Amino acid sequence: MREAAIIGYTQSAQRRYAGAANESELIMPVVREVMQSVGVSQKDIDFTCSGSCDYFQGAAFAFVEGLNAVATAPPIRESHVEMDAAWALYECLLKIWSGEADLCLVYGFSKSSPGELRSVLTLQLDPYYQVPLWPDAISLAALQARAMLDAGIISERDMAEVVARSRRAALANPKAQLSGESSVEELLAQPGFVSPLRRHDCAPITDGASALLVASAETARRLCARPAWIRGIDHRMETGMLGARDLTRSPSARYAGARAGVSAGAVDVAELHAPFSHQEIILRRELGLADGVSINPSGGALAGNVMMAAGLDRFGHVATRIMQGEAGRGVAHATSGACLQQNLVAVLEA
Amino acid sequence: MGNRVAVVGIGQTKHKSKHKDVSIAGLVRQAAERALEDAGCTWKDIDALILGKAPDMFEGVVMPELYLTDALGGNGKPVLRVHTAGSVGGSTAVVAANYVQSGAFRRVLTVSFEKQSESNATWALSPRMPFVPHVNAGAGGFFAPYMRLYMERYGVPAHIGCMVAVKDRLNALKNPYAHLQIPDISLEMVQQSPMLWEPIRFLESCPSSDGACALVLADEQHAARSPNPPAWILGTSTRADGSMYAGKDNIHPASLIACAKDVYSKAGITDPRRQIDVAELYVPFSWYEPMYLETLGLCGEGEGWKLVESGVTALDGDVPINASGGVLSSNPIGASGMLRFGEAALQVRGMAGAHQVEGARLAIGHAFGGAHSYYAMWAVSADKP
Amino acid sequence: MSETREPITGIEVPINLQFKFTAGKALTRFLTSIREGRIVGQRCPGCNNVYVPPRGMCAACGIPTEEEVSVSDEGVIESFTVVHIPIPGNPIKPPFVAANILLDGTDMACLHRVSEVDNAKVHVGMRVKARWKPREEWDYTFENIAWFRPVEGS
């Protein structure tokens, strides 16, 4: 298989409400900036792939508007996944591996602010048996956290430690929506939200967009001094029936991590797409990440969670650290569905 | 371009207005099981699942791969979900082909569907926006002015669209899966059907259907072992441009011209009219057939309607278009593009049954979406490239 | 449990979601202007084309459009259709004309209705002018223009 590397990444400021800007207006600046960062324009791009979800915007075919943000005359080779843009990156890799493209543009975006995100996500469930009960996304995550607490795998203090570390790390990320110094005690003193979750255990609702460039080996070397090579990547799905899963585990993340080769070397940094604090702990365990690994130095999804871009952002942040020489080997992870139903894991190296 | 890949299994459901006999999961599983059976393999032989679907709002299920993975054997496997508007069935098959071409996957299952009867699709398509006057009733209202332009520019007589409508419904009578079965279809019947959006009449429009389509794609080694003849994929392509921009040609869209050129070059097609034995084109309104014939280089500009009129595109013509009955006879939107791709493959495998085009060796599948902005195509052959 | 029952072939699950759409910066300017009875478009700095309604970008060039241009409420019919079926939730009685109208000073047609003329006499190339609703009915909508009507002598 042909080699591929990430050579550029840009993220918009993460905000609770992007104001008057529509989706195209959110996308255009990041697409332009990432292309400028490596000195290419749309005519140099062989394939463009985006990730978004119509339902967050409340309009069918909403991604079509998004395409207005890139130059399309002459027409471009393009695709779109109704998933996190990390899977759009995967589609780009398929194009590179099969020799159909050398330089690909990926972007992910959403404005979750116009709608009722918690209820929209309910519609991801079985429409006949689960949706009529209207379990919302946070309640489902709370079931998972409860299962872990009851099994004695984690404590509420462990969850608070994840939050404290993430918010503190986000102080160094100017794009982060939430950041700050809070002690574990302060966090544990906060009131409950959806028991056992407190508000800070849940990722915020965020508007924004991100763009990333991925290239075949020769193109990557030509355009980037220190590309972030994708050494292994795999993604796996689990059943949609929550009752059929052991929610304290994530066999799909474990298997994808093994296939991606996470354990083949020391990991400097890992960006894990964990929209809830307890999910980071599951992922660390399943991926076998040692205590010394720097987890979510960007602040992670708890510091800013653009739906359909937050997984791609994990790739972008790991790649940026490698491109800037701050890390040699890193793990990027993206998730989809309720309670970590689907997981994508990659190993990036200098 | 990557490893060789072939279509070794094709499955579809009967297409109809309301599939009350099955859930959404039951619908897709029916198509998938038929594709697996054709391919002579079982669920565990499948390395990855690629799902295609037009807007989630048509069923009210967000990112339905998360729910449908159980029905489609996706658990423990890589699952990807594509959405490129109406072209999605085609572009999903293209992505599935890339899986095998990459060398990392041996056999993949790709599935697309629509079960519009489970939701209110008209509602899903009609959010009122203050900057667009609320004057269009459905997709046909948007496309009709361009058909008028085509007719006026090239002096096309009004009965051409009706002829396409008759031809596709006659073909549908030979396809047991087709939704519309109108045994007494005639030019008069189409001409007397109600006008919807001039020049488009009711019988010149596609129905809305519940239905699904599934394909199994395999690498060279597994294609050789499959029980039925493989359809070799010679080339795939997708192209897109913005919905609306100054100077956009909505009669011969630049994105389709580029898409066709790319596929032809990969497939070694230099004389499409002579080399292509049969084509399955995404024709939701009859007028698109003559327009596509021109854009796809099967004839010169302004000549497409003459091919229709002289019967070239009929089942016994020299370039049959939509031998299956096409989108005009069955339109499960998310699956409509994959049905075109799958029907093209059926033809070169010699497995199209009553609508088989005798001796078909090279076929084109084509899908269209958005405002003349999203196109996907592939060329398939009975002969290994 | 031996009694036979009709199979359940469906259940109703009402979905009620509210969304607050964002017009975007460019369309906000357009809607603010049309509330005052003016049509404002934007010129693309790349290809120089003027768009109405403006979308804040040119989909051909993929670049932001910022320069605002006031355009005429008169133009020419690029093409049209006569719609013979009612639009759900819309009081317009069919048959009516929906047209792509190229306003003077713009480079891409916009969609609107044509009226005050026999539908059979509408033709490609016909010059038309906006029929504004009474000022007191103006709001943030392109429908402040009730329809376009033929220009005298056209």
Side-chain angles (χ1 to χ4, degrees):
Chain A
M1 242 157 43
R2 301 174 81 212
E3 281 192 293
I6 295 168
I7 59 168
Y9 167 67
T10 302
Q11 178 181 32
S12 70
Q14 311 220 309
R15 282 178 291 181
R16 175 63 183 83
Y17 174 54
N22 63 21
E23 285 76 6
S24 313
E25 288 164 340
L26 284 175
I27 298 162
M28 186 173 284
V30 294
V31 164
R32 287 164 67 80
E33 196 180 320
V34 78
M35 291 200 287
Q36 277 164 8
S37 76
V38 297
V40 297
S41 67
Q42 187 69 38
K43 69 174 165 34
D44 303 307
I45 306 287
D46 299 317
F47 180 65
T48 301
C49 196
S50 58
S52 71
C53 178
D54 284 351
Y55 252 104
F56 298 146
Q57 286 146 269
F61 305 116
F63 66 93
V64 174
E65 280 292 307
L67 193 60
N68 289 338
V70 302
T72 59
I76 60 170
R77 297 178 62 201
E78 194 264 359
S79 185
H80 169 261
V81 297
E82 195 86 349
M83 304 180 81
D84 190 286
W87 276 269
L89 167 62
Y90 190 82
E91 191 177 330
C92 291
L93 290 173
L94 291 169
K95 287 279 191 285
I96 291 173
W97 292 337
S98 57
E100 295 250 342
D102 286 310
L103 180 59
C104 304
L105 169 67
V106 188
Y107 61 90
F109 63 98
S110 87
K111 280 189 79 172
S112 299
S113 59
E116 301 158 6
L117 183 61
R118 285 171 67 178
S119 301
V120 169
L121 288 172
T122 300
L123 298 179
Q124 289 182 333
L125 303 171
D126 179 301
Y128 309 103
Y129 295 101
Q130 294 174 334
V131 171
L133 305 171
W134 285 99
D136 70 273
I138 293 177
S139 302
L140 294 175
L143 286 177
Q144 186 177 36
R146 172 63 65 201
M148 294 179 74
L149 289 165
D150 283 6
I153 299 167
I154 56 166
S155 65
E156 294 193 26
R157 171 167 288 271
D158 295 332
M159 292 162 64
E161 280 172 359
V162 169
V163 177
R165 197 208 64 239
S166 299
R167 295 269 179 99
R168 190 180 311 121
L171 287 167
N173 176 2
K175 305 288 174 65
Q177 180 182 353
L178 299 176
S179 62
E181 281 287 352
S182 323
S183 70
V184 169
E185 279 67 30
E186 283 165 347
L187 292 172
L188 287 173
Q190 294 289 315
F193 176 39
V194 178
S195 167
L197 302 176
R198 295 173 173 82
R199 273 191 189 276
H200 55 245
D201 289 309
C202 312
I205 290 175
T206 312
D207 289 349
S210 300
L212 179 147
L213 289 169
V214 58
S216 64
E218 204 175 298
T219 304
R221 288 196 187 94
R222 179 165 53 83
L223 294 172
C224 181
R226 196 177 144 101
W229 296 98
I230 298 171
R231 295 298 185 203
I233 186 166
D234 194 74
H235 61 108
R236 299 287 151 170
M237 177 69 98
E238 292 182 46
T239 172
M241 299 302 284
L242 290 168
R245 289 173 53 195
D246 174 355
L247 293 180
T248 67
R249 301 289 313 273
S250 178
S252 59
R254 175 178 290 257
Y255 189 54
R259 302 255 316 174
V262 171
S263 63
V267 176
D268 300 326
V269 57
E271 285 276 345
L272 307 177
H273 183 190
F276 298 92
S277 59
H278 65 276
Q279 293 179 341
E280 185 198 289
I281 302 171
I282 299 179
L283 291 166
R284 277 191 337 229
R285 282 158 39 106
E286 299 293 3
L287 296 176
L289 297 175
D291 285 345
V293 177
S294 167
I295 308 279
N296 289 343
S298 69
L302 293 177
N305 185 40
V306 177
M307 299 298 292
M308 306 298 116
L312 183 71
D313 288 334
R314 309 283 70 78
F315 280 77
H317 283 296
V318 173
T320 301
R321 277 169 199 279
I322 290 173
M323 289 188 286
Q324 291 175 347
E326 296 162 13
R329 189 167 188 272
V331 170
H333 161 268
T335 196
S336 180
C339 302
L340 303 174
Q341 187 188 345
Q342 188 180 19
N343 294 284
L344 187 157
V345 182
V347 172
L348 309 186
E349 288 178 7
Chain B
M1 283 294 162
N3 291 8
R4 288 197 181 100
V5 53
V7 184
V8 297
I10 300 170
Q12 61 182 296
T13 61
K14 166 74 183 168
H15 308 291
K16 56 185 194 179
S17 308
K18 288 186 196 308
H19 254 293
K20 290 206 160 200
D21 53 330
V22 282
S23 61
I24 300 171
L27 186 78
V28 293
R29 189 167 174 97
Q30 207 173 70
E33 282 180 335
R34 288 171 183 169
L36 291 175
E37 192 188 339
D38 181 6
C41 58
T42 64
W43 293 102
K44 67 176 190 312
D45 298 323
I46 297 298
D47 296 333
L49 168 67
I50 304 98
L51 189 73
K53 169 76 187 71
D56 292 355
M57 287 181 182
F58 283 180
E59 287 83 13
V61 183
V62 174
M63 299 161 72
E65 70 279 6
L66 296 165
Y67 143 64
L68 292 173
T69 175
D70 288 343
L72 292 172
N75 298 340
K77 292 177 186 169
V79 177
L80 191 88
R81 155 73 194 290
V82 181
H83 176 11
T84 60
S87 72
V88 66
S91 54
T92 304
V94 170
V95 177
N98 292 152
Y99 268 81
V100 178
Q101 286 170 313
S102 75
F105 300 86
R106 296 158 301 179
R107 273 176 297 204
V108 301
L109 173 69
T110 181
V111 183
S112 58
F113 73 98
E114 203 71 66
K115 204 159 185 285
Q116 288 187 60
S117 68
E118 300 229 355
S119 183
N120 185 338
T122 307
W123 168 81
L125 286 175
S126 314
R128 286 196 66 167
M129 298 292 182
F131 42 91
V132 182
H134 196 217
V135 298
N136 259 348
F142 176 83
F143 296 120
Y146 301 113
M147 297 167 196
R148 177 185 302 278
L149 270 189
Y150 172 68
M151 294 169 73
E152 293 202 1
R153 187 178 298 172
Y154 300 107
V156 186
H159 68 271
I160 297 299
C162 301
M163 285 187 71
V164 173
V166 172
K167 171 197 61 113
D168 282 6
R169 271 50 173 273
L170 285 174
N171 292 349
L173 294 172
K174 297 176 188 293
N175 177 3
Y177 294 112
H179 174 174
L180 294 185
Q181 302 281 344
I182 313 173
D184 52 343
I185 187 80
S186 68
L187 200 61
E188 296 68 41
M189 187 193 285
V190 177
Q191 285 168 333
Q192 282 162 26
S193 69
M195 185 61 83
L196 303 182
W197 316 272
E198 286 180 22
I200 308 172
R201 290 183 180 278
F202 177 71
L203 282 174
E204 290 178 287
S205 311
C206 55
S208 70
S209 318
D210 285 356
C213 180
L215 308 174
V216 176
L217 307 187
D219 64 7
E220 194 169 356
Q221 186 192 350
H222 290 86
R225 288 193 216 150
S226 64
N228 293 312
W232 295 98
I233 298 170
L234 302 183
T236 67
S237 185
T238 60
R239 284 293 186 283
D241 65 6
S243 316
M244 312 268 267
Y245 56 84
K248 176 161 173 158
D249 186 339
N250 279 290
I251 295 177
H252 304 110
S255 42
L256 179 55
I257 292 171
C259 189
K261 193 176 161 199
D262 190 18
V263 165
Y264 291 169
S265 125
K266 287 170 177 164
I269 297 173
T270 50
D271 182 351
R273 172 78 188 273
R274 192 180 56 79
Q275 288 173 272
I276 295 169
D277 295 317
V278 52
E280 284 280 338
L281 310 180
Y282 195 114
V283 176
F285 301 103
S286 60
W287 286 98
Y288 278 111
E289 180 173 304
M291 289 158 72
Y292 286 152
L293 293 172
E294 300 170 17
T295 315
L296 294 173
L298 289 158
C299 60
E301 246 184 49
E303 305 284 323
W305 66 272
K306 296 174 188 164
L307 264 55
V308 173
E309 192 171 47
S310 61
V312 167
T313 62
L315 197 51
D316 58 356
D318 72 64
V319 188
I321 306 290
N322 294 328
S324 65
V327 180
L328 281 176
S329 304
S330 315
N331 186 33
I333 299 177
S336 288
M338 193 174 286
L339 285 165
R340 308 281 70 72
F341 279 46
E343 286 285 351
L346 269 183
Q347 289 287 347
V348 300
R349 301 170 81 206
M351 295 174 68
H355 64 281
Q356 177 68 44
V357 172
E358 209 58 43
R361 304 294 291 177
L362 178 64
I364 294 289
H366 156 277
F368 146 53
H372 305 124
S373 23
Y374 289 82
Y375 292 95
M377 288 176 69
W378 77 12
V380 283
S381 171
D383 305 307
K384 185 151 69 167
Chain C
M1 296 299 284
S2 63
E3 63 178 313
T4 47
R5 292 188 189 160
E6 286 297 306
I8 295 169
T9 57
I11 53 167
E12 264 192 38
V13 183
I15 297 172
N16 182 9
L17 297 170
Q18 306 246 347
F19 292 90
K20 280 188 191 153
F21 287 109
T22 310
K25 291 174 197 160
L27 279 165
T28 301
R29 291 282 301 131
F30 170 78
L31 294 172
T32 309
S33 301
I34 201 139
R35 192 166 187 274
E36 308 302 324
R38 291 181 298 114
I39 305 175
V40 168
Q42 285 184 336
R43 185 188 305 280
C44 171
C47 59
N48 235 19
N49 288 310
V50 173
Y51 290 100
V52 170
R55 310 305 289 262
M57 62 209 66
C58 171
C61 302
I63 53 177
T65 52
E66 274 153 19
E67 183 195 341
E68 290 194 352
V69 186
S70 280
V71 305
S72 165
D73 67 352
E74 206 175 304
V76 64
I77 294 180
E78 190 182 82
S79 191
F80 67 98
T81 180
V82 185
V83 180
H84 289 259
I85 50 175
I87 309 172
N90 190 307
I92 306 175
K93 289 259 183 306
F96 64 90
V97 173
N100 293 334
I101 297 166
L102 190 64
L103 296 175
D104 295 346
T106 71
D107 297 286
M108 190 178 79
C110 57
L111 174 72
H112 221 301
R113 196 181 154 195
V114 172
S115 191
E116 294 182 45
V117 57
D118 180 353
N119 289 347
K121 296 208 167 119
V122 176
H123 59 87
V124 172
M126 181 182 247
R127 282 202 67 76
V128 291
K129 185 173 172 56
R131 172 69 73 193
W132 293 82
K133 286 181 181 168
R135 184 176 289 265
E136 56 273 20
E137 291 176 27
W138 287 357
D139 200 349
Y140 297 101
T141 169
F142 206 0
E143 293 185 12
N144 290 346
I145 294 173
W147 53 72
F148 282 77
R149 61 181 168 80
V151 173
E152 305 272 323
S154 150

